[in-house]
């Protein structure tokens, strides 16, 4: 009698798409762009095939290429002209992200999101101001509260340049509140915050750290990014960001953390973003290069799975390729 139930009936070509539960469109995707103040021309990033560091002068052209595929939003990462101990170039009015944002928002209709962090701007590569003994004592690294004002300064400088949304990625306690207060105090109530709310201390960020030159010079990020072993803690982290005024909640990485994506989707009402990170991208490319996986099909299935798990938006290096196919 259970033969009355034949799920295969709904898998034939005509009906398959009618009963699909999830779909993926170009408007779900956000494309990362690396703007490099030290580059004179576009430089390929070896571990991220198809991606480049682009000089500020080519940022508009790069964003237009992305928009031609149907992807309308970009997230900007900056490689500054110089680094120092406190990362002062991160909030400079003539900083690399600030200059690129000004041009992109003046010359295109792209929705511009900026990554708010210090790791690409500090000599030591950590995501904030260091504690005094950080170099000698492995138990300490970034001074949380000293870093908060700097994050607010960075966000305000991005907003002043025209950013539509800021995305703090440093995993400092209280960062969303500090940034919201900073933005509102300067008249940027309309600028939204996408918090890297549950960001794990992951080995999957390797290629990005080459691309953005932001690897820590000593120690690692375990004192501020989350332990990959934890799932309940993600809800506590996300809850704090919601209370502090985050508009969009991000989980990062994506594929190895789909349980977290689905948990955040179930427990919170805000839009959920997932970051399909550099290592997830590099892995598929490497296997495809060996002929072991089919690139486009694997990329598409990855992104579809991230949506199925509950993400509303996806930050991904596959954005252009997949949007072109959709
Ligand atoms: C900066 C930042 C990182 C990523 C996004 N923002 C690196 C890190 O935390 O070490 C990683 C993105 C990727 O791997 O694609 N804090």
């Amino acid at each position: 009698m259970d033969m009355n139930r034949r799920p295969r009936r709904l898998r034939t070509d005509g009906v398959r798409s009618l009963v699909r539960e999830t779909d993926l469109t170009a408007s779900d995707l956000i494309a990362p762009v690396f703007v490099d103040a030290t580059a004179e021309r576009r430089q390929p990033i070896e571990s991220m095939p198809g991606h480049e560091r682009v000089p500020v002068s080519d940022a508009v052209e790069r964003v237009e290429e992305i928009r031609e595929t149907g992807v309308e939003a970009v997230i900007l990462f900056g490689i500054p002209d110089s680094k120092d101990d406190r990362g002062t170039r991160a909030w400079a009015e003539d900083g690399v992200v600030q200059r690129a944002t000004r041009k992109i928002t003046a010359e295109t209709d792209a929705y511009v999101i900026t990554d708010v962090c210090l790791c690409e701007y500090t000599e030591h590569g950590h995501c904030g101001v260091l504690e005094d003994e950080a170099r000698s004592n492995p138990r300490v690294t970034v001074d949380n509260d000293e870093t908060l004002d700097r994050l607010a300064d960075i966000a305000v400088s991005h907003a002043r340049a025209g950013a539509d949304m800021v995305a703090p990625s440093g995993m400092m306690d209280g960062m969303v509140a500090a940034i919201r207060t900073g933005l509102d105090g300067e008249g940027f109530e309309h600028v939204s915050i996408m918090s890297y709310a549950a960001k794990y201390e992951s080995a999957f960020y390797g290629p990005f750290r080459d691309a953005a030159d932001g690897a820590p010079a000593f120690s690692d990020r375990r004192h501020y990014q989350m332990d990959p072993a934890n799932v309940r803690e993600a809800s506590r982290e996300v809850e704090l960001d919601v209370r502090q005024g985050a508009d969009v909640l991000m989980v990062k990485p994506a594929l190895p953390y789909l349980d977290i994506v689905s948990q955040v989707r179930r427990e919170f009402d805000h839009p959920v973003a997932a970051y399909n990170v550099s290592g997830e991208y590099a892995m598929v490319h490497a296997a495809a290069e060996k002929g072991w996986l089919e690139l486009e099909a694997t990329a598409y299935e990855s992104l579809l799975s991230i949506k199925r798990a509950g993400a509303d938006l996806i930050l991904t290096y596959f954005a252009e390729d997949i949007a072109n196919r959709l």
Side-chain angles (χ1 to χ4, degrees), residues 203-224:
F204 286 92
Y205 306 149
F208 174 94
R209 290 180 188 174
D210 294 339
D213 192 21
F218 62 91
S219 188
D220 53 38
R221 305 206 204 287
R222 71 185 184 285
H223 297 140
Y224 39 102

Side-chain angles (χ1 to χ4, degrees), residues 252-271:
K252 179 183 170 194
L255 286 180
Y257 294 82
L258 292 186
D259 56 334
I260 315 294
V261 172
S262 109
Q263 172 174 298
V264 174
R265 169 70 295 145
R266 262 182 283 114
E267 294 180 10
F268 299 87
D269 188 50
H270 290 53

Side-chain angles (χ1 to χ4, degrees), residues 19-269:
V19 298
R20 277 201 116 184
E21 299 176 32
T22 309
D23 60 6
L24 184 66
T25 67
S27 59
D28 299 325
L29 307 177
I30 299 168
V33 171
F34 296 95
V35 199
D36 186 348
T38 68
E40 271 162 31
R41 64 185 75 82
R42 298 169 62 148
Q43 310 272 354
I45 300 167
E46 210 189 325
S47 52
M48 299 171 67
H51 283 271
E52 299 170 326
R53 294 173 169 209
V54 302
V56 174
S57 56
D58 290 5
V60 167
E61 179 186 71
R62 177 76 193 99
V63 170
E64 271 163 0
E65 290 166 8
I66 292 168
R67 286 181 53 83
E68 271 162 32
T69 69
V71 173
E72 291 169 30
V74 294
I75 180 163
L76 303 182
F77 294 95
I79 295 106
D81 44 8
S82 65
K83 304 189 188 224
D84 56 40
D85 205 47
R86 299 178 60 242
T88 57
R89 296 301 293 163
W91 61 89
E93 290 301 324
D94 63 345
V96 60
V97 167
Q98 291 81 354
R99 283 191 289 142
T101 301
R102 252 180 241 119
K103 275 178 174 267
I104 296 166
T105 51
E107 296 176 38
T108 78
D109 289 327
Y111 187 79
V112 177
I113 307 169
T114 57
D115 185 80
V116 174
C117 197
L118 280 157
C119 57
E120 293 112 17
Y121 301 86
T122 52
E123 274 160 359
H124 47 74
H126 278 288
C127 301
V129 183
L130 290 185
E131 297 209 37
D132 292 339
E133 333 145 67
R135 285 170 214 274
S136 53
N137 181 352
R139 287 165 190 270
V140 297
T141 45
V142 173
D143 185 324
N144 192 89
D145 296 6
E146 286 290 319
T147 301
L148 295 179
D149 288 345
R150 300 292 78 77
L151 295 179
D153 291 343
I154 299 170
V156 167
S157 74
H158 290 174
R160 218 171 255 145
D164 297 296
M165 175 184 267
V166 294
S169 62
M171 289 301 278
M172 296 300 131
D173 296 336
M175 68 182 184
V176 174
I179 289 171
R180 188 71 270 160
T181 306
L183 289 172
D184 294 356
E186 297 290 325
F188 296 113
E189 297 88 353
H190 56 283
V191 172
S192 0
I193 302 177
M194 171 163 66
S195 180
Y196 287 67
K199 174 171 175 179
Y200 286 85
E201 204 255 318
S202 169
F204 286 92
Y205 306 149
F208 174 94
R209 290 180 188 174
D210 294 339
D213 192 21
F218 62 91
S219 188
D220 53 38
R221 305 206 204 287
R222 71 185 184 285
H223 297 140
Y224 39 102
Q225 298 181 349
M226 286 177 61
D227 183 342
N230 294 354
V231 58
R232 298 193 309 274
E233 187 194 0
S235 297
R236 301 199 293 274
E237 265 288 355
V238 170
E239 170 77 35
L240 288 171
D241 287 6
V242 166
R243 281 204 234 148
Q244 291 170 38
D247 300 289
V248 177
L249 308 169
M250 192 207 295
V251 174
K252 179 183 170 194
L255 286 180
Y257 294 82
L258 292 186
D259 56 334
I260 315 294
V261 172
S262 109
Q263 172 174 298
V264 174
R265 169 70 295 145
R266 262 182 283 114
E267 294 180 10
F268 299 87
D269 188 50

